[in-house]
Amino acid sequence: MTRRSSHSALAARLRLLLCLAAALVPWGRALAEPLPAFVEKLATREQLQQLREGGYVIYLRHGITDSTRPDRVPAVDLNDCATQRPLTEAGRQLMTEVGQAMREARIPLGDIFVSPLCRAKESAEAAFGRHYTVDPLLMYTANLTTEEKRPILENTRRLLSLPVPAGTNRVVLAHAPNLADLMGYFVKPEGTAVIIRPLGNKGFIYVASIPPRRWPELLHKP
């Protein structure tokens, strides 16, 4: 190959690379753009009726806590509530009211899985009594590394996706950052119930949310 033909081939390759780079610019911009913000939907009375028939998962955020007393990371002791951000008396009362609202709504509950932190266990007891199962893999994710979060998010995805028999609903009582890490939804305020439709191997679908203030309207209360 002559020097001129070599230069011509090199120029042709450069032109091709420039064309490819230009074509990929929109894709690069698209990948750099943030995902759409999560859109919360308030539950309707029709969806409440569907809950009465069972087959759903209810992801429930724990009650109000004292934010001036954060978890003592990295010295959090699951057996010592003094090392954890505590549930307040208002938080206990809120979860008592949420549990009562769910009973008045005649929502059938089956398995109840709860985070190992004290604020979650105390919320579960206020709402449902002592009939719940502590699941260590529902631990609060906000203070964890990506690798530490992985098994917790996989377990949460499994609990939200696993089919639930008709006539009952599964409850997962945990934390707002966990669901935010899993599906981009930071649940607020405290005590909000998130309705999930499990799809087995296909995952799950977000249906709607019931903040505490929503229960009176769903129950036809003034």
Side-chain angles (χ1 to χ4, degrees):
M1 180 181 291
T2 65
R3 181 176 296 180
R4 178 175 294 177
S5 63
S6 176
H7 285 172
S8 298
L10 179 59
R13 290 178 63 189
L14 288 173
R15 286 194 297 271
L16 177 60
L17 289 172
L18 287 171
C19 289
L20 288 172
L24 288 171
V25 167
W27 289 95
R29 287 176 182 164
L31 290 173
E33 292 173 357
L35 293 172
F38 186 90
V39 178
E40 183 182 60
K41 296 178 286 187
L42 294 181
T44 64
R45 292 186 182 123
E46 290 75 18
Q47 288 162 337
L48 180 60
Q49 179 56 42
Q50 291 169 3
L51 276 180
R52 291 182 179 123
E53 296 170 2
Y56 289 85
V57 179
I58 301 171
Y59 189 98
L60 185 60
R61 186 182 176 187
H62 60 72
I64 301 164
T65 57
D66 183 353
S67 59
T68 68
R69 297 167 59 188
D71 294 331
R72 295 182 191 171
V73 178
V76 172
D77 182 349
L78 294 179
N79 296 314
D80 184 358
C81 295
T83 66
Q84 306 169 33
R85 175 158 49 91
L87 194 69
T88 63
E89 192 55 44
R92 291 185 184 86
Q93 181 60 34
L94 174 66
M95 297 309 295
T96 298
E97 293 171 358
V98 169
Q100 180 61 31
M102 294 176 73
R103 285 186 287 275
E104 289 183 23
R106 305 189 310 280
I107 297 174
L109 302 181
D111 293 329
I112 301 174
F113 297 98
V114 179
S115 159
L117 287 177
C118 292
R119 55 184 174 269
K121 293 185 290 186
E122 291 171 8
S123 293
E125 186 167 339
F128 310 117
R130 296 182 180 274
H131 303 291
Y132 60 86
T133 300
V134 174
D135 187 338
L137 288 179
L138 289 174
M139 182 65 177
Y140 183 65
T141 62
N143 299 318
L144 303 180
T145 66
T146 299
E147 285 305 309
E148 290 170 336
K149 289 179 181 182
R150 194 181 308 279
I152 295 171
L153 298 182
E154 289 177 354
N155 180 59
T156 304
R157 182 180 291 106
R158 180 185 65 84
L159 290 175
L160 299 187
S161 303
L162 194 65
V164 182
T168 189
N169 297 283
R170 179 184 304 126
V171 174
V172 177
L173 197 161
H175 310 275
N178 301 33
L179 209 60
D181 285 333
L182 185 63
M183 56 185 285
Y185 179 20
F186 190 95
V187 183
K188 58 182 181 181
E190 294 90 340
T192 293
V194 182
I195 306 171
I196 299 291
R197 180 184 300 159
L199 300 176
N201 293 334
K202 295 182 180 180
F204 60 88
I205 295 175
Y206 166 71
V207 176
S209 301
I210 310 177
R213 68 179 184 278
R214 183 71 172 167
W215 286 107
E217 183 176 347
L218 291 176
L219 296 171
H220 302 273
K221 288 187 175 182

